[in-house]
Amino acid sequence: MLTLLRKSIFISLFAFGFSSSLFSQSFTGNIKGRLVDSAGKKPLSLATITVFKALDTALITYRLSDEDGNFKIPFLPLDVTCRVLISFSGYRVYRKEFELNKQNSQLDFGVITLGNSAQLLDEVFVQAERPPVSIRKDTIEFNASAFKSLPSALLEDLLKKLPGIDIDTDGKIMVKGKQVNRLLVDGKEFFGGDPKIATKNLPANMVDKVQVMDDKEQIDKNPDISPADVGQIINIKLKKAIKQGWFGKAYAGVGTNSRNETGAIINVFRDTTQISVLGYSNNINKSGFGITDLQKIGGFDRSGVNSMGVYSDGGISLNGSSFGGTGQGIQLSSGGGFNFNHQFKKKVTLNLQYFYGQVNSNFESVTNRQRFLSDTIQVVRSKGLNKNENNNHRIGATLTWKIDSLTTLTFRPGLTLLKNTGDRNSSTFISDNFKGSLNDEDNRQRINGNGNMYNHNLFINKLFKKKGRVLTINNNVSVNENLNDQYYDLVNTFYINPATIVSNQLRQRETGDLNSSLNISWSEPLSKTASLRVAHNAEFIKENNSLKPFNRNNNSGKYLDIIDSLNTALERNLWRNTTTAGITWRKKKLNINASFNVQALSYRNTYLKAPKVVSSFTFVYPSVSIDYNGMRLSYSENIRPPSPYDLQPVPDNTNRQFIQFGNPDLQPVYSRNLSFNIYKFKPNGSSFSFYLNGSATNNSVMRLTTVDKQGIQTSKPVNVSGLKNGYVNLSYTRQFKFSSNWKLSLRPTVGGGYNESVLSFNGNTSDANSVNLYNSLNAGFNYKDVIELNQRYSLSLNKSWYSNKGYYKNLRTITHSAESEIIVRLPKHFVWETTINYTYNPQVAAGIKKSFVRWNGAINYLFLKEDKGQLKLSVFDLLNQNISVFRYTTENSIFDSQTSTLQRYFMLSFIYNIRTFKPAKVGGKDKSFFLF
C-alpha cells in the first residue's frame, strides 16, 4: 500500500512539473518598475498593475505594488502586443503598450510618476480595461469579471480566486488573516448578514464587484480594539439586485451492506423573511448535512452557535445537538427541524429555531496503556463492546432591537433537552513484566441519562455623540441539570492475594450548575490618540454533584440498599469580581493597550461527609499588548480556582482499580502568559505567520500516585509551582497565479510545544519534560477548476524525559500521515474524484494495526436543466482497511487505542438542487453531503 501511495504522489507531482513546464514555454517574459507620487515623490503602495492583450483587452495577469512602490510581473507571453494599465485611487491612469520577445524578454519601466486626478476611477476606464483590483482609502475593490470561473460557479468559487481571501473547508472566510464578520449584498444584510449562505448560493456571474473593508460597527462597539483584532466586511455589488428566491437540496442513496441515506433541506426567503426546513437519516457515519449547510443554509449562524464539534470523519454537533457522525463505530443518524428569521421594519429582527436529532451507535474498542516504573512495565489493556442511543431537542431564539440610532439590544435564549441510553460490556486486565497478572475486571453497564440546559445572552451597546464614548452591558446565564442512572454488574479478580468480588450496583449521579455574569464597560476618549476604559465583571457560579450508590437486593431484585461508604455530595458557591482600568494609546501603526486589574475570588464548598471549605483571595495584576504593523506582543495573567471535586477530602472509590482522594488545602492556579505573533500579507498573494507563546505557572495541580502490588492505583492532588510551557508555530502560504486560469498554492507549517510537569509514583518524584514537534506541507494545483491536484503530508513527534532516570523511562512516539486528492471535471457533465489517505504509527502495541490506507472515489454525472440533477456512484474504503487508531504519551505512559469503524461499501446516490440559482461546484472538499 505504501508503494501505491508513493505512485499516487509521484503522479501528482509529475503533473505539477509537467503543467508548469508547458506553461513556462509560452510565458517567459517579465516587466518591472517603481511608482511614485508626482508631488512629493513618495512611493505608491498597493497600486494595481494590470496587463491586457492589446488586440482584444483580454486580461493576462495583474499585481499590486509593494510598500516601496516597486512591482514585477513575471510569466508574460512573448511576441504578443500587450498593454499595461496602472491605477491608483485619486491619480491619473497610466497606459502603455509593449511587446516582449526572446531577445528582449525583460522590460524595465524605471520610475513611473503618477499625477493627481480629480476624476473618479470609473470615469477614466474603458469598461474592458477596468482593473482587477483597486484600493480606495480603507476599501479594496475587486472587479468580478476579471476573475474567470465556470458557468455554474458560485460566489464561493469567485472569492477563492481573489488575492488575500481564503475560504477553508468549513466555509469560514478570512481576508489577510482576519475573519469576515458579515457579508452584505448591495450594502444591505443578506440572510441575516450570514457570510456563508451567500457564498454557497449566489451565482458568481451575477456579481459586479466585491468590496472588502474594516467592520466599522465592531470599532464603534469597542473603540480601543487593536487594529489586528478588527474583523472584515465583504460587500457584494450585484449586476442586478436579488430581492427574493428559494433554494435547497434533496438526496437519496442506497449501497452495499444495507447502507443508505436520505434527506432534504428547503429554504424560502422573501425580502426580510427567511424560512429553512431540513430532515435526514443515514447509517454511513456522517451527519445528514455538512457544517456548511447547517450553519449557512440551515440558519444556525443566524441564530447563534454556543457550542460546536466537528469530527475528522464528518460528524457534527451544534448547540449540544448531534447531527450524526459524532461517535465511533457504526451509526444510524436521523433528525429534523426548522429555522425562521424575520426583520420587523429596520429596528427589530427575530430568529426562532427548533431541531430534533437522534444517533444510535455500535462500536468495539481496544485500548492499551503501558506505564513505565523503574524496571517495571505495567500494562492496562481493555476491550469493550458499546451500544448507545442519544436524543436531543434544541429550541433557540435571537431578538435584535435597534432602540435608536445609537443603542442596540440583542437577546439570545436557548433550551436543550437531552436523553441517552447505553449498554457497555468491557473487560480490563492489568499485568506487569515481573509479577504477571495483577487483576482483572469484567464490567457490564447500562446507562439511562436525562439533561436540561438553558442559557441566554443579553447585550446592550450604547454609543454617544462624542466619538469613542461607548457603554456596553453584557449578561450571560446558563443552567444545566443532569441525572444519570448507571447500572453495574462487576466481577473483580485479584491474583497476588487471590480474591474475587462480585457486585451489582445502581449509581445515581446528579449534577447541576448555574453560571451568571454581568459585565459593564465604559470607554472614554481622552485625546485623538488616547482613550480610557473602565470595566467591572461580576460572576456567580453554583455547582452541585452527588452520587447515591445502591446494591441490588437479592430478594426483590431491586436496587434498595444504599452503600453509605460510597454516598457523596458536594455543593460549591463561587463569587468572582474583577475590576479593570486601562489606557489605550494609538498613533499611526503603533497601538498600546495597558490595563490594571483587581480580582476578588471567594468560594464555599459544602460536603456531605466533611467540613466546609471556605476560602477568599485577592489578586492584583497587569495586562499589556503592543501592536505595530502586523506584529503583537502581549502579557496577561490568569487565576483559576481548584475544582470542588479535587477539594473534597472524602475518597472516591467507585472504581476499585482507581481510587481518588481530594485535598481541601489546594490553592488557585496562577499563571503568567507572554505571547508574540506576526502576520504579514504581501501583494503577490503570499502570507506569513509566526506565533510564540510561553507561560509560567504557580500552584499547578499534580497528583501523588501509588500503585500497590495488585495494580490498584490511588491518587491525591497537590500544588506545585515553577512550571513552564511554551508553544511555537510558523506558517507560510504562497499562491502562484500565473494567469487567470492557472494557480499553484503551497503551505508549509512547522511548530511544536514544550511542557513541564511533576510526577510522583510510589514516592518516586521526578520533573517531567515533554516536547511535541510537528510539520506539514500542503500543495495544490488548479487549472480552470477543471483539474485539481491536492497533496498533504504531516509528521508529528512526541518525546518525554524525566529527571529521575533510575525510575522513569524516556518515551518517544512518531506518526506519519499523507493524503493525495485528484479531481477532474471532464468531459462536460462528468466529475471524477479520488482521495487516498495513509496513516502510519510505527510503534503501537501488539495487536493494534500500525498503518492503513483509506481509498475513496466517486464518479458524478450532472444532468437536467442547469445541471440541477446529480447522479453519483461512490466507493468508501476501496481496500477495506479503514480503522480508527491513535497513540500519544501522557505522564510516564504510552496510550494506544483502536476502535471499530465503517469499512468498504459502494453507494449510488441521486441529488437534486432545488433552487432558482445554479448549483455549486461538484467534487473536492465541499463536504455538504458526501465525504469523498
Side-chain angles (χ1 to χ4, degrees):
M1 294 310 137
L2 184 58
T3 302
L4 177 65
L5 180 70
R6 287 171 176 169
K7 288 182 178 180
S8 174
I9 295 176
F10 173 77
I11 292 172
S12 300
L13 293 176
F14 173 78
F16 278 123
F18 179 69
S19 58
S20 299
S21 63
L22 284 178
F23 187 81
S24 62
Q25 289 177 7
S26 302
F27 297 79
T28 56
N30 67 76
I31 61 173
K32 64 180 181 178
R34 184 170 183 266
L35 306 177
V36 297
D37 170 75
S38 61
K41 303 300 180 181
K42 295 181 180 180
L44 298 178
S45 173
L46 298 179
T48 306
I49 301 93
T50 312
V51 179
F52 301 92
K53 289 184 178 179
L55 181 63
D56 55 7
T57 66
L59 175 67
I60 298 176
T61 188
Y62 70 96
R63 288 291 189 277
L64 300 178
S65 58
D66 63 18
E67 294 181 353
D68 297 321
N70 296 312
F71 68 87
K72 183 176 181 179
I73 303 182
F75 305 109
L76 295 178
L78 302 180
D79 302 317
V80 175
T81 303
C82 301
R83 180 183 302 139
V84 61
L85 185 145
I86 301 174
S87 59
F88 191 78
S89 180
Y91 290 81
R92 295 188 182 92
V93 175
Y94 175 89
R95 292 182 178 88
K96 185 169 183 175
E97 292 190 359
F98 66 92
E99 184 172 327
L100 303 175
N101 51 50
K102 291 183 179 180
Q103 290 73 30
N104 298 289
S105 61
Q106 299 182 7
L107 177 60
D108 187 350
F109 284 89
V111 176
I112 299 175
T113 302
L114 298 185
N116 292 329
S117 173
Q119 294 178 298
L120 295 175
L121 279 177
D122 287 343
E123 296 175 353
V124 297
F125 287 133
V126 178
Q127 179 66 23
E129 287 187 346
R130 284 175 54 192
V133 183
S134 58
I135 311 295
R136 302 185 182 185
K137 295 183 179 180
D138 60 348
T139 301
I140 304 175
E141 185 174 277
F142 300 94
N143 173 23
S145 62
F147 302 89
K148 304 300 181 182
S149 57
L150 295 175
S152 61
L154 298 180
L155 177 59
E156 179 183 60
D157 303 294
L158 172 62
L159 293 179
K160 288 180 179 179
K161 296 178 180 294
L162 306 183
I165 297 182
D166 291 317
I167 302 180
D168 64 17
T169 56
D170 293 331
K172 184 174 68 175
I173 309 174
M174 304 291 289
V175 177
K176 295 191 293 185
K178 297 182 179 182
Q179 184 167 336
V180 172
N181 294 339
R182 290 182 295 152
L183 190 145
L184 308 178
V185 175
D186 286 334
K188 299 178 181 179
E189 287 198 350
F190 179 75
F191 229 91
D194 178 1
K196 301 164 193 173
I197 191 169
T199 62
K200 288 290 186 182
N201 294 280
L202 288 179
N205 57 18
M206 297 182 67
V207 178
D208 181 36
K209 299 176 183 177
V210 177
Q211 297 175 328
V212 179
M213 63 202 78
D214 288 340
D215 188 346
K216 294 182 179 179
E217 182 176 319
Q218 187 180 11
I219 298 174
D220 291 338
K221 288 182 179 180
N222 182 11
D224 297 330
I225 189 172
S226 167
D229 295 330
V230 177
Q232 301 291 285
I233 290 179
I234 292 180
N235 181 40
I236 305 299
K237 297 183 71 68
L238 302 176
K239 296 177 181 177
K240 60 179 181 179
I242 295 180
K243 298 295 183 182
Q244 58 186 15
W246 64 284
F247 53 90
K249 292 180 181 179
Y251 67 95
V254 294
T256 58
N257 301 325
S258 301
R259 301 294 160 212
N260 61 81
E261 64 173 353
T262 184
I265 181 169
I266 300 173
N267 306 265
V268 178
F269 56 98
R270 295 289 185 269
D271 296 327
T272 58
T273 300
Q274 302 98 30
I275 301 173
S276 305
V277 180
L278 62 86
Y280 69 89
S281 180
N282 71 75
N283 63 355
I284 54 175
N285 280 25
K286 69 175 185 179
S287 64
F289 298 93
I291 189 71
T292 51
D293 285 308
L294 293 172
Q295 287 188 278
K296 309 143 196 89
I297 302 177
F300 277 85
D301 271 354
R302 304 189 295 278
S303 56
V305 175
N306 300 313
S307 64
M308 177 190 302
V310 180
Y311 297 74
S312 59
D313 283 337
I316 295 164
S317 64
L318 292 174
N319 296 338
S321 299
S322 172
F323 290 82
T326 57
Q328 300 164 315
I330 311 300
Q331 290 193 336
L332 170 63
S333 305
S334 58
F338 72 89
N339 197 308
F340 170 81
N341 287 270
H342 182 69
Q343 184 174 354
F344 299 88
K345 296 182 179 179
K346 294 184 178 180
K347 292 188 175 182
V348 180
T349 301
L350 175 66
N351 165 268
L352 296 172
Q353 67 167 264
Y354 166 78
F355 182 81
Y356 167 75
Q358 182 186 74
V359 177
N360 294 280
S361 63
N362 295 274
F363 67 94
E364 298 179 10
S365 62
V366 177
T367 61
N368 192 91
R369 179 169 182 163
Q370 301 173 76
R371 183 182 293 120
F372 300 89
L373 307 168
S374 186
D375 58 351
T376 300
I377 302 176
Q378 188 181 91
V379 177
V380 182
R381 193 172 183 89
S382 298
K383 293 183 178 181
L385 176 62
N386 304 267
K387 295 181 179 180
N388 299 293
E389 179 180 313
N390 296 280
N391 298 268
N392 58 78
H393 300 264
R394 161 73 185 178
I395 304 169
T398 299
L399 176 68
T400 302
W401 179 20
K402 188 76 173 178
I403 299 174
D404 54 44
S405 60
L406 299 174
T407 310
T408 303
L409 180 149
T410 303
F411 181 59
R412 290 189 174 95
L415 175 66
T416 301
L417 307 177
L418 304 172
K419 183 177 181 180
N420 64 83
T421 60
D423 288 281
R424 174 181 171 86
N425 296 326
S426 64
S427 61
T428 301
F429 181 74
I430 301 178
S431 64
D432 73 29
N433 55 328
F434 290 110
K435 299 174 184 178
S437 301
L438 301 178
N439 72 77
D440 63 52
E441 178 183 271
D442 289 323
N443 185 350
R444 180 175 180 181
Q445 298 179 35
R446 290 178 293 119
I447 300 174
N448 292 309
N450 294 277
N452 305 313
M453 297 186 294
Y454 168 80
N455 64 83
H456 79 239
N457 170 258
L458 175 64
F459 180 76
I460 300 174
N461 186 71
K462 172 68 175 178
L463 306 178
F464 295 86
K465 292 183 179 179
K466 184 176 182 180
K467 186 177 180 181
R469 179 180 292 171
V470 181
L471 171 67
T472 62
I473 302 173
N474 195 9
N475 170 242
N476 288 282
V477 174
S478 65
V479 181
N480 298 295
E481 295 180 350
N482 295 279
L483 176 63
N484 284 283
D485 291 339
Q486 298 172 300
Y487 297 86
Y488 292 85
D489 295 321
L490 299 169
V491 179
N492 291 96
T493 303
F494 302 91
Y495 296 100
I496 302 299
N497 297 319
T500 300
I501 301 176
V502 179
S503 58
N504 308 104
Q505 297 179 4
L506 162 63
R507 299 173 186 171
Q508 288 186 335
R509 184 174 293 277
E510 186 174 1
T511 61
D513 65 76
L514 164 67
N515 190 320
S516 178
S517 66
L518 177 65
N519 182 278
I520 301 177
S521 174
W522 176 272
S523 295
E524 180 69 26
L526 302 178
S527 66
K528 292 182 179 181
T529 58
S531 61
L532 171 69
R533 180 176 178 269
V534 180
H536 183 80
N537 184 76
E539 183 178 13
F540 172 71
I541 299 175
K542 183 175 183 178
E543 298 174 294
N544 298 282
N545 191 323
S546 67
L547 175 64
K548 294 181 179 180
F550 300 86
N551 277 324
R552 188 172 64 194
N553 188 283
N554 292 329
N555 295 323
S556 65
K558 298 181 179 180
Y559 297 87
L560 303 174
D561 306 324
I562 192 166
I563 309 171
D564 187 67
S565 62
L566 303 180
N567 187 21
T568 62
L570 64 87
E571 178 183 296
R572 161 185 271 187
N573 292 322
L574 182 147
W575 297 265
R576 178 162 35 205
N577 287 274
T578 306
T579 301
T580 301
I583 295 289
T584 298
W585 185 80
R586 182 181 299 149
K587 188 172 184 179
K588 295 183 179 180
K589 296 181 179 181
L590 178 63
N591 186 82
I592 301 176
N593 196 326
S595 63
F596 181 78
N597 309 274
V598 179
Q599 183 176 119
L601 174 68
S602 63
Y603 55 81
R604 183 181 70 242
N605 299 333
T606 305
Y607 302 97
L608 179 66
K609 297 179 180 179
K612 294 181 180 178
V613 177
V614 180
S615 296
S616 297
F617 306 89
T618 300
F619 300 93
V620 179
Y621 57 94
S623 58
V624 180
S625 65
I626 303 172
D627 296 86
Y628 178 74
N629 195 28
M631 297 181 290
R632 164 177 283 193
L633 177 66
S634 63
Y635 173 82
S636 63
E637 299 185 9
N638 179 264
I639 300 98
R640 186 177 69 254
S643 75
Y645 186 80
D646 281 343
L647 291 168
Q648 182 170 244
V650 179
D652 180 357
N653 56 353
T654 54
N655 184 341
R656 293 193 183 97
Q657 295 177 321
F658 185 74
I659 302 172
Q660 300 183 70
F661 290 82
N663 180 2
D665 297 324
L666 287 178
Q667 300 294 303
V669 179
Y670 187 84
S671 61
R672 299 175 177 86
N673 309 286
L674 182 67
S675 65
F676 175 73
N677 64 285
I678 303 173
Y679 181 84
K680 292 289 186 180
F681 172 81
K682 294 186 177 181
N684 62 9
S686 65
S687 64
F688 166 82
S689 66
F690 174 78
Y691 180 78
L692 177 66
N693 177 73
S695 66
T697 305
N698 289 330
N699 296 330
S700 290
V701 176
M702 64 160 288
R703 295 190 175 272
L704 301 176
T705 304
T706 62
V707 182
D708 66 18
K709 61 182 180 179
Q710 298 199 88
I712 304 302
Q713 180 173 309
T714 62
S715 90
K716 178 182 178 180
V718 296
N719 289 122
V720 61
S721 294
L723 302 184
K724 302 177 181 63
N725 63 72
Y727 172 79
V728 63
N729 178 273
L730 175 64
S731 178
Y732 177 75
T733 301
R734 180 66 188 270
Q735 292 185 352
F736 300 90
K737 294 185 177 181
F738 305 116
S739 71
S740 58
N741 297 329
W742 301 75
K743 182 172 69 175
L744 171 67
S745 63
L746 297 173
R747 180 174 293 175
T749 301
V750 296
Y754 169 77
N755 184 68
E756 292 181 358
S757 59
V758 177
L759 293 182
S760 179
F761 277 81
N762 294 336
N764 294 277
T765 302
S766 175
D767 294 333
N769 303 277
S770 63
V771 64
N772 167 248
L773 302 175
Y774 63 88
N775 67 78
S776 65
L777 175 63
N778 291 267
F781 168 80
N782 185 303
Y783 175 69
K784 289 186 176 181
D785 277 339
V786 174
I787 299 176
E788 293 184 37
L789 306 176
N790 298 294
Q791 301 290 332
R792 178 189 61 82
Y793 170 77
S794 65
L795 170 69
S796 64
L797 170 68
N798 292 273
K799 186 176 181 180
S800 301
W801 65 96
Y802 310 89
S803 61
N804 188 341
K805 300 183 182 300
Y807 193 78
Y808 296 98
K809 177 183 177 181
N810 292 349
L811 305 176
R812 181 175 177 269
T813 65
I814 188 169
T815 301
H816 305 262
S817 64
E819 179 180 278
S820 179
E821 179 186 48
I822 303 175
I823 305 161
V824 179
R825 298 180 177 91
L826 284 174
K828 187 177 181 181
H829 301 300
F830 281 91
V831 178
W832 309 75
E833 46 186 324
T834 184
T835 304
I836 300 176
N837 293 279
Y838 175 72
T839 301
Y840 180 48
N841 295 295
Q843 301 162 312
V844 295
I848 295 179
K849 294 187 68 173
K850 291 185 177 181
S851 65
F852 73 94
V853 175
R854 184 171 66 186
W855 189 354
N856 304 325
I859 304 172
N860 302 270
Y861 175 65
L862 308 178
F863 62 104
L864 301 181
K865 186 179 180 181
E866 295 181 332
D867 289 340
K868 290 183 177 180
Q870 179 183 346
L871 198 62
K872 183 169 189 172
L873 177 62
S874 56
V875 56
F876 177 83
D877 188 24
L878 178 63
L879 303 179
N880 207 33
Q881 293 188 8
N882 189 37
I883 58 173
S884 175
V885 173
F886 65 92
R887 154 173 280 222
Y888 65 89
T889 61
T890 174
E891 294 182 333
N892 61 329
S893 303
I894 295 179
F895 188 88
D896 296 296
S897 175
Q898 177 175 307
T899 306
S900 63
T901 189
L902 192 65
Q903 292 189 307
R904 181 172 57 201
Y905 67 86
F906 295 82
M907 178 165 284
L908 181 64
S909 303
F910 171 71
I911 306 101
Y912 182 73
N913 292 281
I914 312 167
R915 65 177 71 202
T916 57
F917 305 136
K918 294 180 183 294
K921 179 182 69 176
V922 176
K925 291 296 185 181
D926 180 8
K927 298 182 179 179
S928 298
F929 293 95
F930 299 95
L931 306 177
F932 319 130

